[in-house]
Amino acid sequence: MKNKINLQEIKIGVVGLGYVGLPLAIAFSSKFETIGFDINNNRICNLKSGIDNTCEVDQEEINNAIDIKFTNDILDIEDCNFYIITVPTPIDVVKRPDLSALISASEAIGKILNKNDYVVYESTVYPGATEEICIPILENASGLKINKDFYCGYSPERINPGDKNLRIKDIRKITSGSNVSALENIDNVYKHIITAGTYQAQSIKVAEAAKVIENTQRDLNIALINELAIIFNKLDIDTHSVLNAAKTKWNFLDFKPGLVGGHCIGVDPYYLTHKSQEVGYSPEIILSGRKLNDNMSKYVANQIIKKLIKKSTIINSSKILVLGLTFKENCPDLRNSKVFDLIDELVEYGCAVEAYDPWITINDIKKECNFKLIEKLKPLFYDAVIVAVGHDQFKEMTCDKVKTMIKSNGLIYDIKNTFENELDVERL
């Protein structure tokens, strides 16, 4: 193989130390000298003290990481020769890809890029973004040429936030490169930390597309189940009972209804549809699934209001407690959480909403929000309690504890089916 990389000389620079970047940097530090860079000075200060506010890596793991440094000074990573970019790629207010962080990171790395360096992107993008946007930025900022002076690759992140059992090393890694030797070298570096193995994609575009369809497929499957839940509600059939019966067939896909948010499933389909529309095709199924899932917060709010009205509750003076604000269970990630949309809908009806989430603090949410974040639960106080997120703490709390919080004619609405088999609990 031409230009075989010398693993003894590898020095890793991880750009972006969020949910993806930090665990990746910690993993690489067990094999290579690693420097983690982030523009957020508070984040760097916390990490130097062994504190990870994302809760992906515990203090012991950070403190035991021998060959790692954290910095917010880009010049501290200019001696690295294998850069991995893991910055956020969200959508804007009109659901278009927001590549501003990716562009800024590429410009910053381009200015310190040296001959024979490698740059690998892990951020989710649409097919073609690495080669059409990122690599030209690297070339312009560095004065170097791709595959002549430096090399590039794409290896999509597959981390599952909040999952303490399935870690980076346990998830098979897709790798790709700007040419054959780049692919082999990039793959070889990742193999040192991924015990589950790697898969070499045919091209960078294939790797980008593989990542974006993983979450698009999941989004569509959940959209189907959400639509079924709406239908079964009209037919007065319990959705979860139907799903429990259906999944006894060996090839039935076991998805559950719910609010679809977060930085992946609720975002990635828009990256694919954006690129699709650029080349003249307007996706129908993907956008229909997105529309349905985006509207589920409104649907759930309407269902709750209807059930309260049936209980003769005065809506504009009702008190509602929402249990859980994060986009998924057992993590502090609030990005694109549809629970906020649910609360907005309830407030529009005139409800007074309070929220409780053991994973976050008032500093984690905007102070001007239209609900009160509480630290202590109140007995016999609420007209309705909505279990919006299935945190383990709520499961351990038990439904009996939740019942002590509602008034005598109160409602418990369990979006996540946290309290399965409880007969007097309403479900999606």
Side-chain angles (χ1 to χ4, degrees):
M1 183 180 66
K2 294 181 180 180
N3 303 320
K4 186 173 182 179
I5 199 167
N6 186 347
L7 295 174
Q8 303 299 319
E9 297 178 356
I10 288 293
K11 187 174 181 180
I12 306 284
V14 178
V15 180
L17 297 175
Y19 287 83
V20 176
L22 178 62
L24 188 69
I26 295 295
F28 268 118
S29 71
S30 67
K31 301 293 183 179
F32 305 102
E33 182 181 353
T34 303
I35 301 178
F37 168 82
D38 199 288
I39 60 174
N40 187 330
N41 185 52
N42 289 335
R43 176 70 167 160
I44 296 301
C45 290
N46 284 335
L47 291 177
K48 287 180 177 179
S49 300
I51 300 171
D52 172 26
N53 292 327
T54 69
C55 300
E56 289 299 315
V57 180
D58 60 36
Q59 188 168 13
E60 184 177 4
E61 286 180 282
I62 297 175
N63 292 338
N64 289 342
I66 300 173
D67 211 357
I68 192 168
K69 296 178 182 177
F70 301 112
T71 183
N72 67 336
D73 186 346
I74 193 67
L75 296 181
D76 287 341
I77 64 171
E78 65 179 349
D79 291 333
C80 294
N81 51 24
F82 197 99
Y83 296 99
I84 303 174
I85 296 179
T86 65
V87 297
T89 46
I91 52 177
D92 62 20
V93 293
V94 292
K95 304 186 189 315
R96 294 175 304 190
D98 179 0
L99 299 178
S100 56
L102 195 68
I103 290 170
S104 295
S106 298
E107 291 173 343
I109 294 304
K111 292 176 182 177
I112 59 174
L113 200 63
N114 294 307
K115 291 196 69 172
N116 299 318
D117 283 356
Y118 282 74
V119 183
V120 180
Y121 291 88
E122 290 212 5
S123 307
T124 301
V125 293
Y126 52 76
T130 300
E131 293 163 301
E132 296 166 11
I133 295 178
C134 300
I135 288 177
I137 291 173
L138 293 172
E139 289 182 320
N140 290 336
S142 65
L144 304 176
K145 292 297 179 183
I146 187 68
N147 293 333
K148 177 184 177 183
D149 303 312
F150 74 98
Y151 307 92
C152 200
Y154 182 80
S155 182
E157 59 89 5
R158 282 175 161 175
I159 194 169
N160 185 26
D163 192 332
K164 299 302 180 184
N165 297 316
L166 201 61
R167 310 301 294 273
I168 281 181
K169 64 182 180 63
D170 306 311
I171 304 171
R172 195 173 183 190
K173 201 84 167 70
I174 294 175
T175 58
S176 65
S178 51
N179 62 19
V180 174
S181 63
L183 168 60
E184 292 294 336
N185 285 326
I186 290 168
D187 189 76
N188 197 20
V189 170
Y190 274 101
K191 278 181 178 176
H192 279 70
I193 64 165
I194 307 295
T195 57
T198 60
Y199 176 86
Q200 296 186 11
Q202 186 180 31
S203 66
I204 288 177
K205 283 185 179 179
V206 166
E208 292 168 327
K211 167 58 183 178
V212 81
I213 71 165
E214 289 173 12
N215 288 324
T216 299
Q217 182 188 67
R218 186 168 177 80
D219 188 43
L220 286 171
N221 276 301
I222 298 173
L224 171 61
I225 302 300
N226 277 337
E227 187 162 61
L228 293 175
I230 294 171
I231 294 171
F232 294 146
N233 176 63
K234 291 183 176 296
L235 296 174
D236 197 26
I237 302 173
D238 180 71
T239 301
H240 293 279
S241 295
V242 175
L243 296 176
N244 286 336
K247 71 182 182 182
T248 59
K249 189 170 187 283
W250 74 91
N251 62 350
F252 183 79
L253 301 179
D254 188 19
F255 287 89
K256 301 291 191 297
L259 306 180
V260 184
H263 54 93
C264 289
I265 300 177
V267 171
D268 295 358
Y270 288 120
Y271 273 73
L272 184 57
T273 57
H274 168 81
K275 188 62 179 180
S276 175
Q277 289 165 342
E278 272 194 349
V279 294
Y281 179 75
S282 182
E284 296 181 16
I285 294 176
I286 297 173
L287 288 175
S288 294
R290 273 284 74 233
K291 181 179 180 181
L292 194 148
N293 282 339
D294 274 344
N295 287 332
M296 282 307 289
S297 296
K298 185 173 184 177
Y299 172 78
V300 171
N302 289 340
Q303 290 300 109
I304 291 169
I305 295 301
K306 289 177 182 178
K307 292 179 185 301
L308 287 175
I309 290 173
K310 286 182 179 180
K311 290 176 174 287
S312 300
T313 304
I314 300 174
I315 300 302
N316 62 6
S317 63
S318 62
K319 297 178 176 63
I320 296 179
L321 173 66
V322 175
L323 294 178
L325 288 170
T326 58
F327 88 89
K328 65 171 291 185
E329 66 278 359
N330 303 323
C331 80
D333 197 342
L334 293 167
R335 286 177 293 175
N336 196 32
S337 173
K338 294 303 177 182
V339 181
F340 290 94
D341 293 346
L342 170 61
I343 292 174
D344 287 342
E345 293 290 338
L346 294 171
V347 170
E348 282 290 318
Y349 279 107
C351 306
V353 180
E354 295 183 347
Y356 172 78
D357 194 318
W359 283 86
I360 63 173
T361 68
I362 189 63
N363 292 326
D364 297 321
I365 61 177
K366 56 183 182 180
K367 294 181 179 179
E368 66 273 16
C369 61
N370 58 4
F371 62 91
K372 181 181 180 182
L373 185 65
I374 61 173
E375 296 180 353
K376 189 175 181 180
L377 300 170
K378 304 169 186 176
L380 301 174
F381 185 77
Y382 302 101
D383 296 287
V385 173
I386 304 169
V387 186
V389 185
H391 292 317
D392 286 345
Q393 289 91 334
F394 300 151
K395 295 176 182 178
E396 294 166 2
M397 184 186 294
T398 74
C399 188
D400 288 338
K401 172 66 175 177
V402 176
K403 289 177 183 177
T404 66
M405 305 173 202
I406 59 174
K407 298 174 183 178
S408 58
N409 196 35
L411 167 73
I412 298 176
Y413 194 96
D414 188 359
I415 296 175
K416 298 293 292 184
N417 198 30
T418 304
F419 305 124
E420 191 174 1
N421 301 322
E422 290 285 344
L423 298 179
D424 51 354
V425 171
E426 300 287 348
R427 295 179 177 84
L428 177 58

